[in-house]
Amino acid sequence: MDQEGLPRPDVSLQEASDLARDLFDVDVTSIKELGSQQDRNFLVSDDRQRWLLKVSNPAFSFDEIAAQNAAMERVVAAGLNAPVPTSSPAGFPVHTTSIAGRDHCVRLLTFVDGTPLIDRQYLSPTVLGALGRTLAEASTVLAGLEHPGLDRALQWDLRVGEEVVADLLYFVRDPHKRDLLESALSRLTKRLRPLRDELPVQAIHGDITDDNVVFCIDESGLPRIVGIIDFGDTMYSWRVSELAVACASVFNHASGEPLALLPLIEAFNDIVPLTEAEITALWPLIVLRGAVLAVSGEQQIVIDPENGYASSAIDREWECFNVPASFDWDVAEACIRSAVGKPKTSAEQSPQRVQPMLRTQAVTVNLGWDSDSFSEGSWLEGPRQERYILDRHLLDAKVVLTRYGEARLTLATSHSEFEAANVALAVEVHARNRQGIYAPFAGSATLDPQTAVLTLSGLKDTIILQGLVEVAYSPGRATTVNAGDLLGLIDSTGTTVWRTHGGRDNANLYPPHFVRASEFCGYTTLYKDPAQLLVGTPVVSASEMSKTGDAAQSVLERRRDAYNPLQGYYYNTPPRIERGWKEHLIDTNGRHYLDMVNNVSVLGHGNPAIASAAYRQWSRLNTNSRFNYNAVAEFSERLLAKVPTNLDTVFLVNSGTEAVDLALRLSKAFTKREDVLCCEESYHGWSLAADAVSTSTSDNPQAAQSRPAWVHVVDAPNDYRGTHRGEGAGARYAEDAARLLHQLERSGKPIGAFIAEPRNGNAGAIGTPRGYLNAMYATIRDHGGVCIADEVQVGYGRLGSHFWGFEEHGAEPDIITMAKAMGNGHPLGAVITRREIADALAAQGDFFSSSGGSTLSSRIGLTVLDVIESDNLQANAAAVGQILTDGFSELMTKHDIIGNAHGKGLYQGLEFVRDRVTLVPAAEETRAICDRMLELGIIVLPTGDRQNILKIKPPLCFTAESARFFLRMLDKVLTEGW
């Protein structure tokens, strides 16, 4: 390999402009140099169009340049977008010209519009899948291309990659980096040598990376791949090299996620099925590509120190090597095989006769999501809580085992953008007193003198033990061991036991204790559950339990089969949420998601006061409100103390829908009028009456067509994007409504009730303009109607500054409906009104709601009020809500997609638009942003009829730390892409 390298041709902007004019008759009006490792590329324009003027390195022959042209033309002919050569007036697509005494090939290529993927920091699984398909389509098209110029000696040909790395190690100045490369090189040679002749060879582009694939933002507001550029490395090589090259570039966008490239591989394999040899070679080739990039980049900096493109790329190139090289290569292959549906099968082996490693009966401790040993967030204490649980179990048992494949809750933290490494790859053995642990099979035992780790290698299995308090063998030399021989002693501090097979070429001396859930499927092909060897009988591990129908996808399929799909679910591929604590929801892998949407659990998840109150009341009595007991009276009195004094009677019901339905019935009985006035884009419930006055098309796309004649609708009072905007909008909306009221009255349809949320919740916490609610209430009452304030979402202290939404306006309704927050998840709602309105319903008989006002519902309702007051949650909503409000204002200065921030306290909405002038809703972008936020550990969802507003209404225990984490992750997504 030529250690002198290939410095770029010495061509100035003026000289490039002259070449374009003299050779291709382009009257250049603008010119700009584009980056390149070894060529010179210039974007040139005249008054009509743009081209790429390419001055190739003189090391490349005319035949090589002609082969690149042939590849481009073939790709374009197949329907893919790529540059193509433009012939000069003389009829030549390639001109040879002398520069500094050497012949250089010069071409004028059509310019492919778009932005290189490298400029987009985050590549979603969707984008990676599209990249994989583009890669496969190009590979399929180039498979039949033959040309003498494709038979090249390029340092980018991975068939000679090991030679390139060895020859260019000299340029790597950092000794530690050289050592890493040398170690990887040795492993690469061992892995690839048996496969070289089995890997299919064909024409490949050779450099389809994030630098050479361009995208645009399409009409949906999402990135779409639109072309492939830079065919300078087109050559004959291994077909799988094309995939390896693209995969290596993914690490520039997901350095902490070595398996982020799986969607790319899966999409490629769907079109170009990988052979067994290609699957086995793929990860080593990804490592090799990174190694070649690293050494070539170091060389280029030395030989061409003014090449800013090479200098700026060097850190990315080392990342392309470090990430795959440091990950377990066997695990990577297993995960790739799982992704493409081609797991490695092993020959059936006869069962190995083993003896139990323990001579004392053991019990298994549960440290996962479903463990009853955890309560009130105790798992967040981590190892200390783990130790407490183990010691408690050791009071009753002599030996305690942890579970292989269990996602430990104690190792999963909140406010983390990354998936935790918390799935156990081993089993820990803890003994009350010192106990012996014995060889399960015959083999060879070796004790590492540095780590005191004992390895027992048998014919089929290898056992690794770490943490023995005494070892029966001397360090440093292998000792023959018979089944049943003593290996050492264990005690309460714990000994970790792995079970794998021998002979693995692993970069790590010993396996990790814990891995990520997304990686675990790969590790299971290499590491098995040692529990059966420990106790001598079959056991069901945590990982086996997940395979028997409890995994997230299995539960989702069962749900679809049995639970009617009209009762939808969040996200296309939702996590399985089985636990919660405060403002966090926790899935079965222990991942903590910040809950930004759960206004039902006003006190937060797992609240101990609610749990205790419910337990005590259930233990005593749960019956309906027709019996005489104190709780229903006390709860009603507490509610009346929270509302204006003219409201003096309470109905307790099961839900917000039932509360709205009852409020409409009360107003009809009192006014003797059927007609109701409501606002556009509002939601009030699912019963016939509540749905009739719900106008939100996001909840009911046919709301307008299904609306009964007694329902009349006024514009949503939205002063940001509605009919009236800015100062005075509230008065103008009220005037429009007054005109409608007069028309209805003249036509014999006088309004009996006006129902509205003080802030339009489902529309995105949209604030009602100043003056609107008071004017509306006055007009309605002047016309003989009553005013209903739907506080189901906005009430109960959520605004921070006020307990009820109507208080924000200084208005007083005739009827208040409430629910959600009242029960912290328990079905509980209420209607509060004047007794004269309530009495009007008496002629229609008694009112009764089975669970409304029950002993349990009343007790829970009282407890919720107690905790809101004792924990100062309304004040917390104000303080933490202000952090969000201020944060949104700051984000608006950085990100044009944010059109407006609505709401206050812990009832807010962030509206995304494609243009701040036209206010075109960014609905698709909002969904994609929510999906990306889920990956970062945050549950936030779109709302509003346009589905372009983030719904932000977390539990009132929401902390300042959580608010800042949310703002930080949102900034990350809006900066890096989605």
Side-chain angles (χ1 to χ4, degrees), residues 673-691:
R673 296 175 180 180
E674 184 176 33
D675 291 79
V676 175
L677 191 68
C678 58
C679 296
E680 285 283 9
E681 301 182 33
S682 59
Y683 171 77
H684 298 287
W686 278 104
S687 69
L688 279 173
D691 182 58

Side-chain angles (χ1 to χ4, degrees), residues 549-567:
D550 287 338
Q553 189 60 35
S554 297
V555 170
L556 187 60
E557 290 168 2
R558 288 166 47 214
R559 173 189 174 117
R560 288 168 180 159
D561 289 342
Y563 189 65
N564 192 278
L566 282 175
Q567 304 165 100

Side-chain angles (χ1 to χ4, degrees), residues 593-617:
Y593 296 91
L594 191 60
D595 180 5
M596 299 301 299
V597 300
N598 232 314
N599 60 331
V600 175
S601 297
V602 65
L603 308 182
H605 305 286
N607 185 275
I610 296 294
S612 176
Y615 172 78
R616 289 196 310 272
Q617 189 60 57

Side-chain angles (χ1 to χ4, degrees), residues 65 184 245 253 268 287 514 518 633 638 673 713 753 856 924 932:
I65 303 305
V245 166
H253 307 269
F268 182 91
V287 176
F514 301 95
S518 60
R638 290 280 294 278
R673 296 175 180 180
V713 183
L856 180 63
E924 289 82 0
R932 175 60 176 145

Side-chain angles (χ1 to χ4, degrees), residues 694-740:
S694 294
T695 56
S696 169
T697 55
S698 64
D699 292 284
N700 179 4
Q702 297 182 352
Q705 299 93 310
S706 61
R707 188 171 299 142
W710 54 268
V711 176
H712 310 280
V713 183
V714 294
D715 283 346
N718 184 335
D719 60 359
Y720 171 65
R721 65 159 61 246
T723 305
H724 305 297
R725 305 181 186 181
E727 191 66 31
R732 294 195 294 275
Y733 279 117
E735 289 165 4
D736 290 347
R739 283 191 288 272
L740 176 60

Side-chain angles (χ1 to χ4, degrees), residues 635-653:
F635 184 37
S636 299
E637 290 167 349
R638 290 280 294 278
L639 288 173
L640 289 177
K642 291 286 187 182
V643 301
T645 55
N646 67 316
L647 303 176
D648 54 8
T649 192
V650 174
F651 292 89
L652 293 175
V653 293

